[in-house]
Amino acid sequence: MAVVLFDGFAFGMLLFVLSVGLSVTFGLMNFINLAHCAFGMLGGYVAVVAMRAFGVPFLLALPFAFLAAGLVSVVLERSFFRRLYRAGGLNQVLFTIGMVFVAAASFAYFFGTGQQPIVLPDYLQGYWEVNGLRFGTYRIFLVAVSLVIAGLLVYGLEHTRFGARIRAAVDNQRVAQGLGLDVDTIFAITFALGAGLAGLGGALAIGIVGLDPSFGFHYLVYVLIVVAVGGLGSIGGSFVAAALLGIFDVAGKYFVPDMGAFLIYLFMVVLLLVRPLGLFGKR
């Protein structure tokens, strides 16, 4: 039981890394980016290429995945996405879901439709045994990385000058611009941060769920549930929602395999009926 709960929590932490960037861009910038997991997929393929073609160690491939997704997102944000900030939600949804189709077709063309496995380093394989219970080393690593990211994001957004500028730009763009803030640059950096985290999540996901061109569609549903349940723009909410969703998903598939995939949707519906704004949502 404890091992199942821990595996579910580790899966939840993977969802947190994948989704927290969407929560930031969706909640703070009011931009519905359904292409978010396409950046995760990009990060995953960058890690695969770096490790296979250039022999880059896994831990060094992770920052490559973060940077590649962030840099590509800046180009797309400057070229396309910024034009949609003041557009309606339907326009944002249609454009960004179209980007997912383009990304999936592009990766399928260059890499094929099969899974892209990687070999994790020896120190991330195997188990840690505690009181007769065996916990996967890579899942422990995943939990540790997620906790560090959550702490850095909370500190960066709540206790730094840049975080204050983001909040000011979101609350009232005209006033922020009148005070001398470069709102466009702030939004571009925020967007790149969110996409970079998705890229990092995509690279981390390979060791647990694998990677193929359907990644951007498959995990889009999960990250949207995390953002909706956690509350828009709430990092703490995304963390709690991802942990609960991961535990419900893994425990459900383990104990009631016939209904396992359905339980997370039931969990979401019940929670949103009780708290329509999510666990920590304010608007």
Side-chain angles (χ1 to χ4, degrees):
M1 180 70 176
V3 175
V4 173
L5 293 178
F6 177 76
D7 286 350
F9 182 69
F11 180 57
M13 292 301 93
L14 174 63
L15 295 179
F16 168 72
V17 178
L18 278 171
S19 63
V20 67
L22 180 61
S23 180
V24 171
T25 55
F26 195 174
L28 297 183
M29 298 169 61
N30 297 316
F31 181 66
I32 307 171
N33 179 20
L34 296 189
H36 185 74
C37 283
F39 293 111
M41 184 165 57
L42 170 64
Y45 277 102
V46 167
V48 168
V49 171
M51 294 179 67
R52 288 183 183 173
F54 301 101
V56 175
F58 176 71
L59 292 184
L60 191 56
L62 296 180
F64 278 137
F66 176 88
L67 291 174
L71 290 174
V72 171
S73 75
V74 169
V75 175
L76 294 177
E77 196 269 346
R78 296 287 89 179
S79 305
F80 303 110
F81 293 152
R82 63 179 303 187
R83 305 173 191 275
L84 297 172
Y85 285 160
R86 294 182 177 84
L90 180 60
N91 291 333
Q92 295 176 358
V93 166
L94 291 176
F95 182 82
T96 54
I97 198 66
M99 295 290 288
V100 184
F101 280 100
V102 172
S106 300
F107 285 115
Y109 177 80
F110 287 107
F111 295 93
T113 57
Q115 287 285 325
Q116 302 292 327
I118 58 173
V119 179
L120 294 173
D122 292 340
Y123 53 84
L124 290 179
Q125 298 184 29
Y127 298 89
W128 283 20
E129 189 164 334
V130 179
N131 294 329
L133 302 175
R134 297 199 303 177
F135 300 94
T137 303
Y138 186 69
R139 285 173 169 76
I140 295 174
F141 168 75
L142 192 57
V143 170
V145 171
S146 303
L147 292 176
V148 171
I149 290 174
L152 290 176
L153 284 176
V154 170
Y155 178 80
L157 290 177
E158 301 294 337
H159 302 288
T160 66
R161 180 172 295 182
F162 180 71
R165 289 177 177 176
I166 292 177
R167 298 196 304 275
V170 171
D171 287 341
N172 195 316
Q173 292 186 31
R174 290 184 178 178
V175 173
Q177 288 173 328
L179 292 174
L181 296 181
D182 187 346
V183 174
D184 286 344
T185 301
I186 292 173
F187 276 8
I189 295 174
T190 305
F191 195 89
L193 175 64
L197 288 172
L200 176 62
L204 290 168
I206 304 174
I208 291 185
V209 298
L211 177 70
D212 63 33
S214 69
F215 187 94
F217 291 109
H218 187 80
Y219 288 94
L220 175 62
V221 176
Y222 282 94
V223 300
L224 287 177
I225 293 176
V226 170
V227 172
V229 171
L232 296 180
S234 172
I235 295 172
S238 295
F239 184 89
V240 174
L244 292 175
L245 182 64
I247 292 172
F248 264 81
D249 190 52
V250 172
K253 290 175 180 174
Y254 183 84
F255 292 111
V256 280
D258 293 338
M259 297 181 59
F262 171 73
L263 288 181
I264 58 171
Y265 302 106
L266 179 63
F267 165 69
M268 178 188 70
V269 170
V270 171
L271 194 144
L272 291 181
L273 284 174
V274 177
R275 296 184 64 85
L277 298 181
L279 290 171
F280 296 91
K282 297 179 181 177
R283 60 187 173 84

